[in-house]
Amino acid sequence: MILSAIYIKEYYLFEEPQIINLGGRFIYSLENNFISRKGNENYIANFYCENVISQVSAIVGRNGAGKSSLLNMLIEVLNNEYGLQSALIFEKDNDVLIRNRSRVQFGFEFETFSNNAITLYYSPYLDFKSDRNGFDLSLDNTIEKDLENINDIRKGNENVEPLQHLKMRNSIRQMDFTNSDIGGKFVELFDLPANHLNKITFTRYMIDVDRETDKIQFHNTPYGFRDELQFIYEKIKKEANEINNNRPKGYSLVKLQKDLLKNYFLMDFICLFIIQMERSNDYLGEGFLKREKRDFIKENYNSSAFEAFYDFLDDHCYKMSSDEFTLLPIQETKDLIEKVYSFIDAAEAVDDRDNKNFEWNYKAIYLEHNKAIELLELQNRFLNVVEEYYSNKTEKIDELINVRFSKIKDFINFQPSERNLSSGENAMLNLFSRFHEVFKDFTKKTIDTVNFVLLDEADLGFHPQWKKKYVSTILEFFSMYFNDFNSNVQIIFTTHDPLTLSDILNYNVVYLDKSNNQIVLNDESRPIESFGANINDLLASSFFVNNGLIGDFAMNKIQNIIDYINIKEKRSEIEWISSPNIALKVINQIGEPYLNDKLNDMFMEAFPEYKDDEIKRLEEKLNQLKNDSNY
């Protein structure tokens, strides 16, 4: 069963009642509160999918014509929004079923249809629109839901950074998808590693160190901490040299590399704490160690840098008046370091790239999905508490006034692949992972007779090569899920991209224009082609791109050249063309062949003295072409 058309009596987008055809056996028209129909001679049943995908429709048109607004209207109508007079016209084989919430009349036989529809809406950009009915997977709503439990988290952690929490939630969502059975197929389709391992690397925050003395240049770190932090810093560097230079017999290269990686990770922590304290001098004179000047600063201190760092955490303290408190996270730091150490120790270097979980060249370990999420949550807990260095402690010390500066960002990096994801790859993973998250909680009872997926420019950020795959990919993706639910779905999407539109049959396209600030449905003057059409033709006709398909900047420069050639009086006014040779250089770089030839002819006619040079240039180009093709 497909939704073939929608009637809406009154909506702010339109001046008059409208009938919107989405593509079916019939084309419906409205006149004087009466809906009639005629056969759609181009209709092809089951064109997009054998069973699961009942229909695919696109909404395109002029910029600002209201594509997203029309999609929102469809959601309201499909979800039976109170007060909207509308009618939904469904087609099931040869029968017509109508859910009528209006007084419009029909000129054909039909059956009454009363089932509600399930809508799933996706939008990749933040537009601050109100919540939509159905399942709202917009970025607005996703952020809101991801932050829903942040107040509960705050109760246990005093301070939770929303941005850090959102990044964690999104990373978990992406990893959930890429490690699922269906997600694995799309990881392969989009050329992401398919080993179900997540790459973990570490960020080093750079501190100010004097190159000659190797002394940390402290400015805002509490005086009472500086000697100890300098000692730990030097101890870590000394241990790194010892690991490299004093390799015992039988000590494997992989063991050495893993020990070095743990050493580097400990340095990452020291640098992070120093950077954090250097950003504010609120506690410059208040920091001290609970014991007097530490013995381990002396040369005979034999404990490791790891133990020295733990001693520092346990002993560091701030004293204001009669109150003492610690701000750097003690238990969270230990939990995170020990978890990373255990993962490094357990990692094995394997030559087969599909199975490796340790890679020294990138200082990376590779973790299974559940372990990566465990580490991600530990880091998030740690970062939430480390920010308390800036927290207002006035509930303990009335005199303390705190100013928040820039925040420490995550320093353990999580990638669902062994390379950094591009913006397009993130856009693709966000699209599919948000639906995957919703579908995990679906049951066959959740799905209704009529299901709709509405995508608002979901191909935003995709590379052109991926845009070519976009329609076929979403067909495959939603077919897999709805097939498991033993149900079907209709897809309606908006797009600005001709590559995407070229996969859609013309009668499945809703074309929008704008006149007098009102949306106009171009059913009468609709373009005649979309499916398999040339993208330049689609840009001009389907997306209403006026005045050619050359960028405005290039068009203005070309007009300058035309004026320079034709109007002698204007030549001195065009400052960037200092000589005819400059104009000729630009003409020879114009990629459109007909325009290039025409301007060359005009130029040679206006400046005949350049003909000999141009003949010589063309002869050299001809000889080059002959040599390149082994003529």
Side-chain angles (χ1 to χ4, degrees):
M1 183 166 63
I2 66 171
L3 175 63
S4 181
I6 295 177
Y7 163 79
I8 184 78
K9 181 181 180 182
E10 186 177 351
Y11 201 72
Y12 76 92
L13 296 174
F14 309 112
E15 288 184 330
E16 300 175 345
Q18 296 287 339
I19 188 82
I20 303 168
N21 284 284
L22 298 173
R25 293 181 181 276
F26 298 94
I27 298 173
Y28 299 86
S29 57
L30 174 68
E31 187 174 357
N32 297 326
N33 202 42
F34 187 84
I35 296 178
S36 60
R37 70 181 187 184
K38 63 178 180 179
N40 180 3
E41 60 184 19
N42 293 317
Y43 176 74
I44 304 171
N46 302 320
F47 181 73
Y48 295 100
C49 183
E50 185 76 23
N51 296 307
V52 183
I53 310 294
S54 59
Q55 187 67 287
V56 179
S57 304
I59 302 173
V60 301
R62 192 182 301 278
N63 188 40
K67 295 179 291 296
S68 297
S69 298
L70 182 59
L71 205 62
N72 287 329
M73 186 210 73
L74 295 179
I75 295 172
E76 292 181 30
V77 174
L78 288 168
N79 284 282
N80 197 21
E81 183 76 5
Y82 176 77
L84 288 177
Q85 294 193 46
S86 62
L88 302 177
I89 304 175
F90 294 92
E91 295 175 357
K92 185 177 182 181
D93 299 326
N94 294 320
D95 298 325
V96 174
L97 298 87
I98 295 179
R99 194 191 79 183
N100 192 8
R101 299 288 189 272
S102 72
R103 296 180 180 179
V104 71
Q105 302 297 310
F106 299 92
F108 47 86
E109 293 183 357
F110 64 89
E111 297 179 17
T112 299
F113 182 76
S114 59
N115 290 47
N116 290 324
I118 298 295
T119 60
L120 298 102
Y121 169 82
Y122 175 88
S123 169
Y125 47 84
L126 196 65
D127 55 13
F128 302 104
K129 287 188 171 66
S130 57
D131 289 348
R132 298 157 184 86
N133 289 314
F135 292 89
D136 186 353
L137 281 68
S138 65
L139 181 56
D140 301 70
N141 199 54
T142 300
I143 289 175
E144 183 178 351
K145 288 188 177 300
D146 284 350
L147 293 176
E148 270 183 355
N149 65 339
I150 197 166
N151 286 331
D152 292 333
I153 298 173
R154 283 178 186 273
K155 292 174 185 176
N157 292 287
E158 297 234 358
N159 180 38
V160 175
E161 289 303 313
L163 180 59
Q164 180 61 36
H165 182 75
L166 290 173
K167 290 175 70 174
M168 182 193 74
R169 289 293 310 129
N170 201 57
S171 296
I172 290 176
R173 191 161 33 241
Q174 288 188 358
M175 287 190 287
D176 271 340
F177 172 67
T178 56
N179 286 280
S180 68
D181 292 339
I182 291 178
K185 297 178 181 179
F186 287 87
V187 164
E188 184 176 353
L189 176 66
F190 287 96
D191 196 28
L192 294 174
N195 57 6
H196 300 293
L197 295 177
N198 302 277
K199 183 179 181 180
I200 311 297
T201 56
F202 310 102
T203 297
R204 171 73 52 82
Y205 286 92
M206 301 305 295
I207 59 176
D208 186 10
V209 177
D210 185 278
R211 292 188 178 182
E212 293 184 3
T213 64
D214 204 27
K215 297 297 182 183
I216 302 170
Q217 302 302 292
F218 294 110
H219 303 285
N220 294 324
T221 298
Y223 299 124
F225 296 166
R226 295 183 181 185
D227 288 346
E228 190 160 6
L229 289 172
Q230 178 69 41
F231 174 83
I232 297 171
Y233 167 78
E234 293 175 357
K235 185 77 172 174
I236 294 173
K237 293 189 68 174
K238 181 180 178 181
E239 288 181 357
N241 290 330
E242 290 174 350
I243 294 171
N244 273 311
N245 298 329
N246 302 318
R247 180 177 168 186
K249 186 177 181 180
Y251 198 79
S252 71
L253 177 60
V254 173
K255 171 64 175 170
L256 179 145
Q257 291 170 343
K258 291 199 290 189
D259 285 348
L260 280 176
L261 185 56
K262 290 190 290 185
N263 175 277
Y264 295 166
F265 182 68
L266 186 60
M267 181 66 84
D268 293 339
F269 256 106
I270 290 293
C271 291
L272 183 141
F273 279 148
I274 292 172
I275 284 289
Q276 187 77 344
M277 289 184 281
E278 284 294 300
R279 287 177 174 176
S280 172
N281 64 2
D282 290 332
Y283 311 107
L284 194 60
E286 291 77 19
F288 72 101
L289 301 175
K290 294 178 182 178
R291 284 176 279 180
E292 294 183 2
K293 191 63 81 171
R294 299 298 303 277
D295 291 338
F296 72 60
I297 294 180
K298 300 175 182 178
E299 292 183 1
N300 62 354
Y301 181 78
N302 295 321
S303 296
S304 67
F306 174 87
E307 293 168 321
F309 182 48
Y310 270 32
D311 284 342
F312 167 76
L313 285 174
D314 291 335
D315 287 349
H316 91 282
C317 190
Y318 296 85
K319 187 172 184 178
M320 300 288 287
S321 299
S322 60
D323 292 312
E324 293 184 3
F325 56 90
T326 61
L327 288 180
L328 296 178
I330 298 175
Q331 192 57 49
E332 288 81 5
T333 298
K334 292 179 178 180
D335 289 344
L336 188 54
I337 290 177
E338 289 164 14
K339 182 60 65 175
V340 170
Y341 275 21
S342 69
F343 286 152
I344 293 174
D345 286 335
E348 296 181 5
V350 182
D351 291 335
D352 182 357
R353 292 185 61 84
D354 288 338
N355 294 316
K356 70 175 184 304
N357 51 22
F358 174 74
E359 192 170 28
W360 174 248
N361 289 339
Y362 294 101
K363 310 297 184 293
I365 57 176
Y366 293 80
L367 299 179
E368 296 171 350
H369 177 52
N370 59 331
K371 294 180 180 178
I373 290 179
E374 180 183 2
L375 187 58
L376 183 61
E377 290 174 339
L378 279 174
Q379 176 190 235
N380 202 51
R381 192 182 311 153
F382 164 80
L383 290 174
N384 287 334
V385 180
V386 77
E387 287 295 344
E388 291 183 12
Y389 187 80
Y390 294 115
S391 298
N392 192 334
K393 290 291 179 179
T394 54
E395 71 274 15
K396 289 186 177 180
I397 305 138
D398 293 335
E399 303 95 324
L400 180 60
I401 299 175
N402 173 40
V403 180
R404 295 183 69 99
F405 292 89
S406 54
K407 310 293 187 294
I408 290 290
K409 295 181 172 59
D410 46 341
F411 68 105
I412 302 180
N413 309 301
F414 296 80
Q415 297 173 205
S417 68
E418 62 180 38
R419 54 181 168 76
N420 290 325
L421 295 177
S422 68
S423 296
E425 288 169 327
N426 264 311
M428 179 272 295
L429 283 179
N430 286 337
L431 167 63
F432 294 132
S433 64
R434 283 191 220 168
F435 276 101
H436 175 73
E437 183 178 49
V438 171
F439 288 149
K440 282 196 309 180
D441 296 328
F442 270 23
T443 65
K444 291 182 180 179
K445 292 182 179 180
T446 307
I447 299 299
D448 212 321
T449 307
V450 184
N451 308 290
F452 293 89
V453 167
L454 303 111
L455 307 172
D456 195 4
E457 297 183 37
D459 54 352
L460 196 68
F462 282 27
H463 184 278
Q465 190 63 38
W466 285 9
K467 288 178 184 287
K468 290 180 65 177
K469 296 180 180 180
Y470 175 66
V471 171
S472 61
T473 302
I474 61 176
L475 288 175
E476 184 175 359
F477 178 83
F478 291 112
S479 293
M480 291 179 181
Y481 281 103
F482 281 91
N483 186 60
D484 286 344
F485 302 134
N486 195 27
S487 183
N488 60 17
V489 62
Q490 186 165 341
I491 300 172
I492 304 172
F493 65 83
T494 67
T495 184
H496 281 136
D497 190 78
L499 284 169
T500 298
L501 187 62
S502 67
D503 278 336
I504 305 301
L505 295 171
N506 187 256
Y507 64 80
N508 289 129
V509 182
V510 178
Y511 293 95
L512 300 182
D513 203 349
K514 200 168 187 179
S515 176
N516 298 323
N517 293 321
Q518 292 291 323
I519 291 180
V520 178
L521 293 166
N522 281 287
D523 284 334
E524 299 298 328
S525 59
R526 62 189 294 119
I528 60 173
E529 296 176 342
S530 61
F531 183 74
N534 182 282
I535 61 172
N536 289 325
D537 294 336
L538 288 174
L539 280 171
S541 60
S542 300
F543 296 94
F544 305 98
V545 177
N546 299 326
N547 302 320
L549 297 176
I550 295 175
D552 284 352
F553 179 82
M555 185 63 75
N556 290 333
K557 293 295 184 183
I558 291 169
Q559 186 60 53
N560 286 164
I561 292 172
I562 293 172
D563 293 343
Y564 185 85
I565 293 172
N566 291 335
I567 309 172
K568 292 182 180 180
E569 294 78 10
K570 276 198 171 185
R571 289 175 186 171
S572 61
E573 299 175 9
I574 307 173
E575 296 182 359
W576 70 272
I577 305 180
S578 57
S579 68
N581 186 51
I582 297 297
L584 184 60
K585 282 184 178 181
V586 176
I587 290 171
N588 289 330
Q589 294 185 69
I590 294 174
E592 209 290 318
Y594 176 79
L595 185 58
N596 182 298
D597 291 342
K598 184 64 177 177
L599 288 176
N600 254 305
D601 291 343
M602 292 169 59
F603 180 87
M604 294 305 165
E605 185 175 340
F607 303 97
E609 64 271 23
Y610 281 82
K611 283 186 177 180
D612 290 342
D613 291 340
E614 182 65 7
I615 290 172
K616 182 178 179 181
R617 185 187 71 83
L618 292 173
E619 286 177 344
E620 290 176 353
K621 186 175 182 180
L622 177 62
N623 289 331
Q624 183 181 354
L625 290 171
K626 288 180 178 179
N627 292 333
D628 290 345
S629 59
N630 296 319
Y631 182 77

